[in-house]
Amino acid sequence: MIDKLSWVAIYPEVVLLVMACIIALVDLSSTSAQRTRTYILTLLTLAVVAVLTGIAANDGKTVYGFGGMVVSDPMGNWLKCFATVALMVTLVYGRPYAADRDMLRGGEMFTISMFALLGMFVMISGSNFLLIYLGLELLTLSSYALVALRRDNAVASEAAMKYFVLGAMASGFLLYGLSMLYGATGSLDVNEVFKIIASGKVNHQVLVFGLVFIVAGLAFKVGAAPFHMWVPDVYQGAPTAVTLLIGAAPELAAFAIIIRLLVEGLLPLAIDWQQMLALLAIASLLVGNLAAIAQTNLKRMLAYSTIAQMGFMLLGLVAGVVNGNTYNAQFAYSASMFYIVTYVLTTLASFGIILLLAREGFESEEITDLAGLNQRSPLYAGVMAIAMFSLAGLPPLVGFYAKLAVLQALIASGQALYIGLAVFAVITSLIGAFYYLRVVKVMYFDAPVTASTVSAPRDVRAVLSINGLLILVLGIVPGGLMTLCANAIVATLAN
């Protein structure tokens, strides 16, 4: 359904924008002691937005608005809902950490986070090259500011500068690629570009040239090798609460623009971009898993883990089109969507433990800082162990089923190359299991470095427990979430 001026397509974005501005004004009149007011208003707003996007997603309708520039469909709305919940959890985990480091003198952490989420929403809803790029820039500019939030910290400032320089270069790649497509097709509309390319009237070489730059820009945004240079430095240098913010919810938005651009817009060029994604996936699995083994810093290890995990996610996208046929597309793309959602869930738990163990003047970033955690707090050691086992892909946790779904999509294609990719992915996962199991070994078998018990605010303890339980429960009964992802992808492909 297309409406020239449909506010229905963007009402979650409108609510988020209005409330972000109101909360920023309310925060101006608040003292540091009253910062709780900003925090509660932010969580309430995010809860309302999550409900709105969940209702819209469950409705199952696809609505185009503003001349087809924005789209509200089940896939987009579910990703918005999950991103909003991920940001809520991030703020719950990160608030005590930020308070200990004097990062709550103003409410910038809350308001800028909301504008970052708005950028994600615009990226997810965009059905126009220009709108997708504007959403991406709103997210990245907000992320730069958040990384540099501790202005008196040299490491955070250095990380923000590296992120800014490399991010600007990647944005330039993406913008140049989009401009090449616009020059070749004469349209900025994703659906219109699909029709023009499918007609076969456009020079194929020009399209592939632009496609190379688009894939390079997208690879940077998800942190895929060899465009991963920023990930370890930014993950390690940023305040841990901000590391979680840029490492969780934005991955959902990055997945959405990959689907919007490559699947909805450039599916006739699938044979070209699938080869590129396959190379990125191989490099990511290799670089991420091998480099992570050498890390002693936990945040840096998880950064390389992210690179490897994104390689696995890309494999699902590779298997969507086989010899020009899209019979495997629903299975493959829904496996990738399931993978990215469950990855974000697991990342929230792992970084939540790091934030919990950090205290004023101590970051708890080294793997050795987890030594003997089971003796100090069996609950938190259990949650961290569940997260590590899930990232390693061990049953019965959700990470196992996510990897299995991607491997099944590759094997179902029946192509020798894709089956070879599946075997390669399994081998690299076995290598990667080493550094995840090392963390568990340190927690359960090494002597504790301190005898102090681990304490946490009640809300953090409750959310962290639910987070760990979901990783376990979704691994045992993954059918509901998998069906949700499959139905969302079917609605997207039907457009």
Side-chain angles (χ1 to χ4, degrees), residues 133-480:
Y133 185 75
L134 288 174
L136 180 63
E137 286 304 291
L138 178 56
L139 169 61
T140 52
L141 290 173
S142 301
S143 300
Y144 303 151
L146 286 166
V147 173
L149 201 55
R150 294 185 69 185
R151 294 181 289 272
D152 56 345
N153 187 286
V155 177
S157 299
E158 180 187 348
M161 186 58 69
K162 289 177 179 177
Y163 194 16
F164 172 73
V165 172
L166 293 173
M169 183 176 68
S171 295
F173 280 168
L174 183 62
L175 188 60
Y176 185 66
L178 293 176
S179 68
M180 290 289 293
L181 286 184
Y182 173 65
T185 62
S187 176
L188 292 171
D189 184 82
V190 170
N191 293 323
E192 190 64 28
V193 167
F194 173 87
K195 294 175 184 176
I196 294 171
I197 295 175
S199 69
K201 298 178 181 178
V202 184
N203 188 304
H204 185 75
Q205 289 182 327
V206 176
L207 293 174
V208 173
F209 188 72
L211 183 62
V212 170
F213 285 95
I214 289 174
V215 171
L218 294 176
F220 176 91
K221 297 308 174 185
V222 298
F227 303 96
H228 66 285
M229 301 82 70
W230 65 276
V231 180
D233 289 339
V234 173
Y235 269 48
Q236 183 180 359
T240 307
V242 176
T243 301
L244 178 55
L245 197 148
I246 63 175
E251 300 290 3
L252 298 168
F255 171 80
I257 61 169
I258 290 175
I259 294 294
R260 298 290 187 217
L261 292 176
L262 299 186
V263 177
E264 291 190 4
L266 304 176
L267 195 61
L269 301 176
I271 192 171
D272 299 300
W273 57 255
Q274 283 183 169
Q275 295 176 38
M276 300 177 198
L277 293 187
L279 292 174
L280 292 172
I282 292 170
S284 299
L285 288 167
L286 208 56
V287 171
N289 284 311
L290 292 178
I293 292 174
Q295 306 306 314
T296 58
N297 183 281
L298 187 55
K299 286 167 65 177
R300 200 171 183 86
M301 187 209 81
L302 289 173
Y304 281 108
S305 163
T306 296
I307 295 165
Q309 299 289 341
M310 291 305 102
F312 230 107
M313 184 272 292
L314 291 175
L315 287 178
L317 297 170
V318 168
V321 179
V322 182
N323 294 330
N325 297 316
T326 58
Y327 64 85
N328 203 39
Q330 174 192 337
F331 187 25
Y333 299 151
S334 60
S336 282
M337 182 175 172
F338 182 88
Y339 196 98
I340 199 70
V341 170
T342 54
Y343 162 76
V344 169
L345 177 67
T346 312
T347 297
L348 289 169
S350 57
F351 275 98
I353 295 295
I354 299 174
L355 286 165
L356 180 67
L357 296 178
R359 51 189 183 275
E360 191 172 358
F362 181 70
E363 292 294 331
S364 187
E365 290 184 2
E366 299 298 318
I367 294 176
T368 53
D369 293 332
L370 297 178
L373 180 60
N374 182 56
Q375 299 175 38
R376 298 164 55 202
S377 174
L379 172 63
Y380 302 135
V383 172
M384 190 63 163
I386 286 173
M388 292 297 103
F389 286 144
S390 181
L391 288 171
L394 298 181
L397 302 170
V398 71
F400 167 77
Y401 190 83
K403 283 181 166 59
L404 181 63
V406 171
L407 294 174
Q408 285 177 330
L410 287 167
I411 294 170
S413 67
Q415 300 293 299
L417 175 61
Y418 292 169
I419 294 172
L421 285 175
V423 173
F424 177 78
V426 171
I427 294 171
T428 53
S429 292
L430 289 174
I431 296 172
F434 169 79
Y435 56 84
Y436 294 124
L437 296 178
R438 180 178 60 185
V439 174
V440 178
K441 174 260 179 188
V442 168
M443 290 191 300
Y444 282 86
F445 298 104
D446 286 11
V449 292
T450 176
S452 62
T453 57
V454 181
S455 60
R458 189 177 302 172
D459 57 342
V460 175
R461 188 164 61 247
V463 173
L464 198 55
S465 300
I466 295 170
N467 198 165
L469 189 62
L470 277 175
I471 297 172
L472 178 60
V473 170
L474 287 175
I476 297 171
V477 283

Side-chain angles (χ1 to χ4, degrees), residues 22-31 35 38 106-108 110-111:
I22 290 173
I23 290 171
L25 292 174
V26 169
D27 186 74
L28 287 174
S29 60
S30 302
T31 63
R35 205 62 65 201
T38 306
E108 295 93 345
F110 303 120
T111 52

Side-chain angles (χ1 to χ4, degrees), residues 31-32 35 95 98-99 101-110:
T31 63
S32 296
R35 205 62 65 201
R95 184 180 173 234
R101 283 149 188 80
D102 205 22
M103 292 168 62
L104 298 184
R105 284 179 292 180
E108 295 93 345
M109 180 175 170
F110 303 120

